[in-house]
Amino acid sequence: MPTYYKWRSAKIQTRKHEYPSLEVTNHPLRVEVLNLKISASKSFIQSLHKWSSSFEELDPLLRFEQMNLENVKKFDDVINYSKIWSMKCAAILNKYTTGEKLTIISSYLPGGEKISSFSALLRQVSNLNEKVKHRLEQLDDFDETSVRKTMGLSQQEFVTKIHMLDDEIKKAWDSEQRVKAFKIAIQCSKLLSDISVMQFYPSKFVLISDVLDNFGALVFDRLKKKSFGSDNVKFEDIDSNLVPESARETCQNWMFKMASIRELLPRLYMEMALLKCYVFISKEEIKPAILRLITMIRGIGNPLVGIYVRVYLCKVASSLFGKESECYFYDNLKEFLEEYQQIFQPAMAKKFGTQLLTADQYLSLYVPAIDWLFSGTLNTVSCKITFLEELLQMCDNTENSELLLCCLLSVYDSPNIIKKSSVILEIIHKSAEHMVLLSQILSSLGEHLCHAEPYRQHSSEALSQSWWKIANNMKSTADFLLVLEPWLQFACKQLSIQHINMLLRGTIRYMIKSSRPADGYSSQIQSAIKRMLKSIPDVEELFLMDAFMPLVELVQTSSERTMMAKTVLSVFFERYNSVQIEDHIIIASLMRLCCILHDSINAVTVEDEIKLCADLINKFIQTVSYQDDFQQQLNFYVDCRSAFIKLDSVLVTLVHGVHALAARAGRARGSWLPRACAAYCFVTVPSLQCALARAQLYLLGAHSALLAACIGQAEANLKAFVGLIPDIPQYIQEDGQNKPTHDKVLGLLSNFLSTLLILPDNMDSTSKAYILSGFIKVMERIHWKKTDPLYYTLLVRTLDLLCHMTQEKYVYHIDGVLSNDELYGSEEEFIEVLENHATAICQELLVVLKALGDVKETKKQYNLALELFWRIIKRSDLKESSMISLAVNLWVLSQKIQDSSYNFAKTLLSALEWDKSAEGQRLLHKLKSI
């Protein structure tokens, strides 16, 4: 058991220092703001140009950047059709899918019947003429009985089979079986005549066209190698006159093989695939061949098959001639327009009807093809707006023109469409009852108008009224909502809130009279509302409309209402620019949405969802302000507490908000508001689940009450804080991990000890410094580990507090709060109580020092011994022999266990040397004599 030492605190004399003063006119930390006067006739950049012009030529990076910009401008006019086609292919493959079973016909798929006689024949002949003869015989003697028909394929299986055929072509080519490769390509092209699964046809075309491209590249590369060897010669650099006769003859053989194909469709596709090879015969023959193919495609009776043949022809031509090929796009488009009515033949209607396709699904199959033809055609016309007028005139005079109109809106840019928007709406209005693509057309037009510059009011209203007359008569709710989304955005950008409100009222009426409940269309309604929130100039105006909140709450399912509320709140707070919300209507609307979020939380709600909801509600609470109406603000916080009781983080925000309100109110408003705020917080804090959060808020409540001179409330909060200390967990859950609370608890208790210095005692209590006494008793009851740094650090800081509380005047006060230095006036009984506590803590620290020595924690023991030694020489009365004896013993202990860093001890010793008092010099003499 350590020796008993009676602690006696020293009275610290406050010293007044006289420092030289200097009068200043500006604060030394003030930021100087430079105001620039900019000429109204010049921009800001122009006004600064004269300051930077002298450095521009010296910056090499700027010069390189300018060179790159010039290069970009040079290539802006060059259209990369290959890149455009690749993007279209990806979009087609993603959109045109099917769950139907597919069929593939081929002789060369793995697992099918293999033809091995061909390679054997080739090995038996050596003469070149005989080899050519046998190849032609193999092509002519194509055995139809060897064709294998595979049915019942899924979409993925079909794609896999096509890739297999592509690989078979490459394998056959590499093994000198070029006729076999040719026959596989022919069979692939024949697959494009099958429209038994129309919905998948665009994707099938993309897959097979890639196979044909690869085959054409194999033939071209072989002919190029025969002509120029290993030289890397580009297509545009090939001179037909320099091609050797052998290569020319080989090319002609390929053309003869292609011409010998009996069926029109594979013959057309194979000639297109080999079109590039004409350069080895005569480059001048390519363009006439393209014109001939454009005419030959007329022989294909099926309009769906025919238009995709034209697409492939334009794709091949664009890869060969680039911008020069745009005339072929136009020629193919004219051919298609002449045959346009074939799309609507009864035979075609019967075919897509048997496949259970709707008319709009059938017509959508043509959209990628027509878009491709239009994309090249528009680059040939000199005046796009004139061409658009011609096409719109044709649409107005043509029956079933909706497909063309839909594609026009897809390929034309917004400025041109906006100029003719009223004409387009008139055309739509004339045929709206019969249009199956009405929703797509109206939606596309609305998307274009969303990019418009501000219209004149009457023009915008006229457009809005026109589309609404059409959309309001739609029978399909899904189509109506598809159209509604862009047109609402257009209205938000161009029209008044009264007009927007009318549209919302009409939408609600339409949804109510709909045969299906709104819950089935919640995602579309949510999307429309989201676009409104993002596009309207002042987002607050939406909540001032009487139809907005009824539209938001149109869905009745709990999950859908929650998603709707979450969307509205998220976008609102993203766009809300003001610091505070003051409008009562907006506050009520947001409160309703926050209640929907809160009520959706239950026992199975995931943590991330709870956090998101809490963040949105916290943003709402933090932005609501009733300005100087403090009572109304407090009532708002009371309503929020009852509405959001499930969310701890929201309750924490409310407590902080109430404390801020009390600080704003100050003491000028009377004592009722600070006391009401303190009572609110004291009642709210126990609702929190986390003991650490409760402790933090109790301490904050004590601070707030002391600032308002509400001593009773401060005392109650500190008593609750002391009682909560044993419940604070050692670990808390943060970000999915258990994190220790050591540092947080140490900071919290240190803050608590600092607060006790200014808290006056309750004179009705029989105990002196009774809250501090209670804290020390709680420390004794808690089963602390003696060697825990948290424990002995708190003991040291409690000793610091006790030493400060014995002084005649405390180092800090709060205005209006009578602290114990003034309350007791250094009363002996009060000082005796404090020194008894200090003595007990000093003895406990000696016990800790022994425990640290027992567990060989020498570094901690060394530091703690010197920490206590420092308290003795600075805060204790060295006239007492017990204090001198304790200081000497601690110094001896530190010298025995000192580590390699002796700096701490030397610093303390040097500080003692500056103490000129007799007691300090006597202690220093004893220490040096050891």
Side-chain angles (χ1 to χ4, degrees), residues 411-427:
V411 299
Y412 257 93
D413 56 353
S414 295
N416 287 313
I417 293 296
I418 291 169
K419 292 176 183 178
K420 296 298 177 183
S421 56
S422 57
V423 177
I424 295 172
L425 273 175
E426 288 179 7
I427 296 173

Side-chain angles (χ1 to χ4, degrees), residues 149-162:
K149 185 175 184 180
T150 307
M151 302 177 65
L153 297 173
S154 67
Q155 177 181 314
Q156 186 57 46
E157 290 171 341
F158 182 88
V159 173
T160 303
K161 296 290 185 184
I162 294 297

Side-chain angles (χ1 to χ4, degrees), residues 865-867 869-870 873 891 903-913:
L866 290 180
E867 288 281 354
F869 172 78
W870 173 251
I873 65 176
W891 182 261
N903 294 332
F904 190 15
K906 288 193 297 184
T907 302
L908 297 181
L909 197 61
S910 63
L912 188 59
E913 290 176 353

